[in-house]
Amino acid sequence: MQNLNPQQIKAIRHTKSPLLVLAGAGSGKTSVIAHKISYLITKEHIRPKKITAITFTNRAAKEMRERIKKTLGGSKEKPRICTFHTLGLTILRAEITLSDYRSGFSILDSNDTVGIVTELLRKEKRIGDIAPILVQYRISSWKSLFLLPEEVIVDKERPFDALCLAVYANYRETLLTYNAVDFDDLIMAPVKILSENNVAREKWRSEIEYLLVDEYQDTNTAQYKLVRTLTNGRQNMTVVGDDDQSIYGWRGADPENLNQLQKDYPTLEVIKLEQNYRSSGSILKAANALIENNPHDYPKKIWSENGFGDPLRIISASTEHDEAERIANDILHRQLLKREPNGAFAILIRSNHQGRLFERALLERNIPYTLSGGQSFFDYAEIKDCICYMRIIANPLDNNALLRILNVPRRGIGTQSVKSLVEGATKLGLSILETTENTDFLDTLSPNIAKNIVFFGRWIKSLREKSLACDPDVTLSTLLDDIGYEDWLATNAEDEKESERRNKNVQELLSWVQQLVKKDTSIDLSGVVSSLTLFDIIERQDNEKNTDSVSITTLHAAKGLEYSNVYIAGFEEGIMPHRNSTTEIEIQEERRVAYVGITRAKKNLTLSYSRTRKRYGQIEPCEPSRFLEELPEEEIQWPSGNSSPTSDKKVGLETIAQLRMSLGNQK
């Protein structure tokens, strides 16, 4: 432990009472947990299999296992290192006879659960005016609070909550009937078992002689109950957390769980880790100044011996497009001047929809990138729909593409009819599109179904004929108008914002196709589809194999990561803080989100904002984030002026000069 600081060593060696380690950003908390496990085994003589360390993500669990492997050497017996839900699953499977479930139960993902909620809403005849996913979110929030349907109290004046509660009761019964659990049940069910059965509780307390929990500020009520049930009345617990990095309130995380520890564990020891090993002094000074505006039960101030470094830079862009262009240019400029790899750069965004512009800007400059914390552009349902339409028009034999869009929007061809169509095509040895005009097959259907299938097939064929005589972007625009896709998206979106986002994606795709046509006037629809498909495949392969890529990630997904050069985009009112955050509690969490973003940077930090932004088809003025005013002025390098051809030319000349110098040195 010679490379650890005194506070880290103190945290590792403390075993006489429950311990809360307040670990500031970049303070080496994973090393502390790994070394503590080693210390418990070698000095406290606890068997490895009797130690459990809980994390929140598989990535964190994997990192911890690798650290512990280095500290333990070749020991055959290993401590249990897992996520909350993995531990819950282990307990539930072991104690299945004490639960409401039977062995062999299924675990449902979010698509499954939303599908069940959809069917329940249909039975309530509310499917048209209530978004199923919003009901599912509400049910999940009650489960995070460890509330069964009979324990939930709702205001009768709030009909949405009353409906959700009615669905919750039926939802629970449905899952029991299916012998299935959802993600929340993997915590609720084990806590219920351990709370109600003394034998099981003592068994698992014996199984876990020492419990360590990482990222404790992210626990919800149910997870807190699981920890308390496993450790109550004993000294065998270390939790590591940082109230300043609690940014998951929207999914049930409660930073008050850190404060509750003092009440539930009166002998709790608190040790602060404030030395930061990641960032420069100027970055930490800005982070401290920002987060001081939040209330603290355990105040702390992170510091570093890394030197003060460069000041924070501000980019003021005229539009969101200009913002993406300037950040991409700045990355290219720094790569050429500093010879830094792509992986040293990260663009942090508040919301997924911001990523599309940065994807495009980096792609145009041939800069490899990885998109994380959100869907790739090609993963969105509306983009898949559009591309599949183009695929079937370009290639009538593409059965997979046709099956996806056959009933999008709904055109009176139900599941059974689709099944008959597929079986008929197989029997006749034809493509599905060819089968839509086969009289032998059509005669087996009801006249109305046959009419709908024939109409669809003829429409696709007519679009194909038109596509041979016009540009691909015109074909895409025509088919979108024919099916009334914009109206269909609005009808099937959760709300107006979701509709706006999905239509914006479709328009972005149309713009992309237009750019391909502009660059190559001879390109046909098949060529456009090939270009888009090839890009999607290469992007995914690169993301899997090439770690040397610029990261585009949401601020929430960036937690726990670090980069030499960080750009936080959209640092303006409405984005940071988010426009939906209106209460003081919500603003405090948004401030913590900004704090997490700032502390991802090791050497250079750039905050950018746009002076105008397009929303709902209108150009709106934007204001810099209020959080900028909370940063120390002496650590901020403000732009001397707006972007201009002159300044861009100056940057370009500097880059060329540097390249010439580098080439000269290589001779």
Side-chain angles (χ1 to χ4, degrees):
M1 294 191 291
Q2 65 269 24
N3 295 322
L4 301 176
N5 65 48
Q7 290 301 99
Q8 290 175 324
I9 294 174
K10 184 179 178 182
I12 290 166
R13 291 177 174 170
H14 182 90
T15 59
K16 302 305 180 186
S17 69
L19 174 65
L20 166 60
V21 180
L22 277 174
S27 62
K29 66 180 178 63
T30 305
S31 292
V32 169
I33 295 173
H35 278 90
K36 182 148 194 171
I37 290 173
S38 178
Y39 183 83
L40 291 169
I41 294 168
T42 58
K43 300 299 183 182
E44 297 293 326
H45 307 294
I46 300 176
R47 292 186 64 180
K49 72 174 186 177
K50 295 288 188 176
I51 298 171
T52 294
I54 304 177
T55 69
F56 269 86
T57 65
N58 291 322
R59 182 185 70 196
K62 181 181 178 182
E63 181 184 356
M64 199 176 294
R65 288 190 199 100
E66 291 172 351
R67 297 281 189 98
I68 292 168
K69 186 177 180 180
K70 292 177 181 177
T71 62
L72 288 181
S75 174
K76 291 183 179 180
E77 200 172 272
K78 304 294 183 185
R80 179 191 288 113
I81 301 168
C82 60
T83 65
F84 265 104
H85 294 92
T86 301
L87 177 61
L89 177 60
T90 301
I91 296 173
L92 180 56
R93 281 177 172 162
E95 312 298 340
I96 191 66
T97 57
L98 302 176
S99 75
D100 297 323
Y101 306 95
R102 303 178 299 281
S103 59
F105 59 86
S106 300
I107 302 173
L108 305 183
D109 63 18
S110 57
N111 289 331
D112 296 323
T113 57
V114 171
I116 290 172
V117 170
T118 301
E119 289 305 311
L120 293 174
L121 285 173
R122 184 171 284 116
K123 290 179 181 177
E124 296 280 342
K125 298 183 179 179
R126 297 296 301 275
I127 193 62
D129 55 355
I130 298 291
I133 196 168
L134 298 181
V135 178
Q136 198 273 335
Y137 283 161
R138 183 57 56 88
I139 292 172
S140 180
S141 70
W142 285 328
K143 289 190 170 189
S144 295
L145 292 169
F146 200 71
L147 295 173
L148 294 170
E150 59 268 24
E151 298 169 326
V152 176
I153 300 174
V154 298
D155 186 346
K156 293 182 179 179
E157 299 300 318
R158 303 184 66 176
F160 176 73
D161 285 351
L163 173 65
C164 290
L165 180 55
V167 172
Y168 182 16
N170 292 329
Y171 173 83
R172 177 168 166 75
E173 288 300 318
T174 301
L175 262 60
L176 288 171
T177 301
Y178 291 172
N179 193 33
V181 298
D182 62 18
F183 213 48
D184 298 305
D185 288 326
L186 293 177
I187 305 298
M188 283 193 78
V191 174
K192 189 170 182 290
I193 291 169
L194 299 180
S195 299
E196 296 175 353
N197 190 283
N198 292 335
V199 174
R201 182 167 62 252
E202 291 309 313
K203 170 190 168 183
W204 281 94
R205 285 182 177 179
S206 175
E207 282 281 319
I208 302 174
E209 286 189 24
Y210 203 96
L211 180 67
L212 303 98
V213 185
D214 192 16
E215 303 287 6
Y216 203 72
Q217 75 282 347
D218 292 336
T219 56
N220 59 35
T221 301
Q223 290 160 341
Y224 184 90
K225 283 182 177 292
L226 178 59
V227 171
R228 185 153 164 69
T229 302
L230 290 169
T231 62
N232 192 29
R234 298 193 295 169
Q235 313 300 320
N236 60 336
M237 178 183 73
T238 292
V239 302
V240 182
D242 182 5
D243 51 346
D244 291 331
Q245 296 189 70
S246 179
I247 59 174
Y248 296 110
W250 48 274
R251 68 181 188 197
D254 187 358
E256 280 300 309
N257 286 344
L258 284 173
N259 303 326
Q260 187 65 31
L261 283 168
Q262 193 81 65
K263 301 172 185 176
D264 292 336
Y265 300 86
T267 60
L268 183 76
E269 178 82 6
V270 179
I271 296 175
K272 299 177 184 178
L273 303 183
E274 298 175 289
Q275 183 175 355
N276 177 285
Y277 293 92
R278 176 189 299 153
S279 306
S280 67
S282 59
I283 291 171
L284 297 183
K285 185 177 179 180
N288 285 326
L290 175 70
I291 208 64
E292 280 176 359
N293 292 278
N294 276 3
H296 291 85
D297 288 323
Y298 301 107
K300 64 182 182 303
K301 188 169 288 190
I302 51 178
W303 57 276
S304 172
E305 293 180 344
N306 293 341
F308 225 66
D310 296 331
L312 281 64
R313 294 187 308 144
I314 307 296
I315 290 179
S316 173
S318 57
T319 67
E320 65 265 42
H321 294 276
D322 181 38
E323 179 185 41
E325 295 283 320
R326 295 187 64 187
I327 287 178
N329 284 337
D330 195 71
I331 290 173
L332 191 61
H333 174 65
R334 283 176 174 267
Q335 285 177 332
L336 294 173
L337 288 183
K338 306 291 185 181
R339 296 297 183 97
E340 291 193 85
N342 295 306
F345 296 86
I347 302 170
L348 308 186
I349 53 180
R350 178 62 179 80
S351 301
N352 292 328
H353 69 82
Q354 292 173 261
R356 177 86 293 266
L357 292 175
F358 292 102
E359 280 192 87
R360 186 169 174 176
L362 295 176
L363 177 67
E364 290 175 350
R365 290 159 179 79
N366 293 316
I367 300 175
Y369 69 88
T370 301
L371 183 72
S372 60
Q375 290 174 283
S376 169
F377 183 67
F378 294 94
D379 282 335
Y380 286 104
E382 58 273 16
I383 300 305
K384 288 182 177 180
D385 289 345
C386 292
I387 290 179
C388 282
Y389 264 115
M390 289 191 287
R391 279 168 53 186
I392 190 60
I393 293 170
N395 177 15
L397 300 178
D398 193 335
N399 285 346
N400 288 335
L402 185 141
L403 285 173
R404 177 179 176 87
I405 51 84
L406 184 57
N407 217 24
V408 178
R410 297 181 186 87
R411 44 176 61 92
I413 305 174
T415 303
Q416 190 57 46
S417 299
V418 173
K419 183 180 179 181
S420 299
L421 187 56
V422 172
E423 291 174 349
T426 302
K427 184 177 180 180
L428 294 167
L430 302 172
S431 72
I432 294 177
L433 189 61
E434 290 171 329
T435 307
T436 63
E437 58 183 4
N438 183 276
T439 54
D440 291 338
F441 166 73
L442 294 170
D443 287 342
T444 66
L445 305 175
S446 69
N448 194 44
I449 296 297
K451 178 183 176 183
N452 292 338
I453 289 176
V454 169
F455 179 84
F456 171 78
R458 288 177 178 173
W459 173 66
I460 290 292
K461 292 182 72 175
S462 70
L463 279 177
R464 175 168 170 75
E465 292 172 1
K466 292 177 183 177
S467 73
L468 300 176
C470 63
D471 288 333
D473 55 322
V474 176
T475 301
L476 177 57
S477 182
T478 299
L479 78 86
L480 292 172
D481 288 340
D482 282 358
I483 62 178
Y485 196 61
E486 183 175 350
D487 292 338
W488 187 78
L489 287 178
T491 302
N492 288 272
E494 297 172 23
D495 51 34
E496 186 176 352
K497 292 178 182 177
E498 175 73 357
S499 175
E500 165 72 8
R501 181 195 64 73
R502 298 183 72 182
N503 272 304
K504 189 174 181 180
N505 282 344
V506 172
Q507 292 306 311
E508 180 68 18
L509 177 65
L510 181 57
S511 175
W512 198 330
V513 174
Q514 290 169 342
Q515 288 296 320
L516 288 172
V517 172
K518 188 175 180 181
K519 288 180 181 178
D520 181 5
T521 55
S522 64
I523 196 169
D524 60 9
L525 187 63
S526 178
V528 166
V529 171
S530 297
S531 295
L532 293 173
T533 304
L534 185 62
F535 170 71
D536 187 25
I537 293 171
I538 291 175
E539 179 200 29
R540 293 174 193 276
Q541 290 175 342
D542 283 348
N543 288 351
E544 292 173 1
K545 299 176 182 178
N546 182 15
T547 56
D548 184 25
S549 57
V550 175
S551 291
I552 306 174
T553 182
T554 63
L555 285 153
H556 287 87
K559 190 165 169 284
L561 304 177
E562 59 182 42
Y563 307 90
S564 292
N565 307 280
V566 168
Y567 300 80
I568 304 181
F571 213 77
E572 62 203 51
E573 291 294 306
I575 296 178
M576 179 63 62
H578 196 275
R579 65 179 61 87
N580 291 341
S581 299
T582 55
T583 68
E584 184 56 32
I585 296 296
E586 291 169 334
I587 294 297
Q588 288 172 12
E589 176 152 329
E590 289 293 296
R591 188 177 284 113
R592 293 194 293 269
V593 172
Y595 173 85
V596 166
I598 289 172
T599 54
R600 299 311 94 199
K602 296 165 68 175
K603 296 192 299 183
N604 297 294
L605 175 65
T606 303
L607 310 177
S608 71
Y609 65 89
S610 175
R611 297 189 296 277
T612 62
R613 195 171 289 270
K614 192 173 184 178
R615 293 194 183 98
Y616 305 108
Q618 301 293 321
I619 303 297
E620 297 181 1
C622 302
E623 296 181 11
S625 170
R626 71 191 73 178
F627 297 151
L628 281 176
E629 299 176 2
E630 299 175 1
L631 302 178
E633 289 186 18
E634 64 274 16
E635 300 306 325
I636 295 180
Q637 179 183 318
W638 289 89
S640 57
N642 297 334
S643 177
S644 67
T646 302
S647 62
D648 287 344
K649 183 178 180 181
K650 182 181 178 182
V651 170
L653 291 173
E654 288 176 356
T655 303
I656 292 171
Q658 183 67 32
L659 282 173
R660 285 174 176 167
M661 186 180 300
S662 299
L663 291 171
N665 291 336
Q666 292 175 6
K667 290 181 179 179

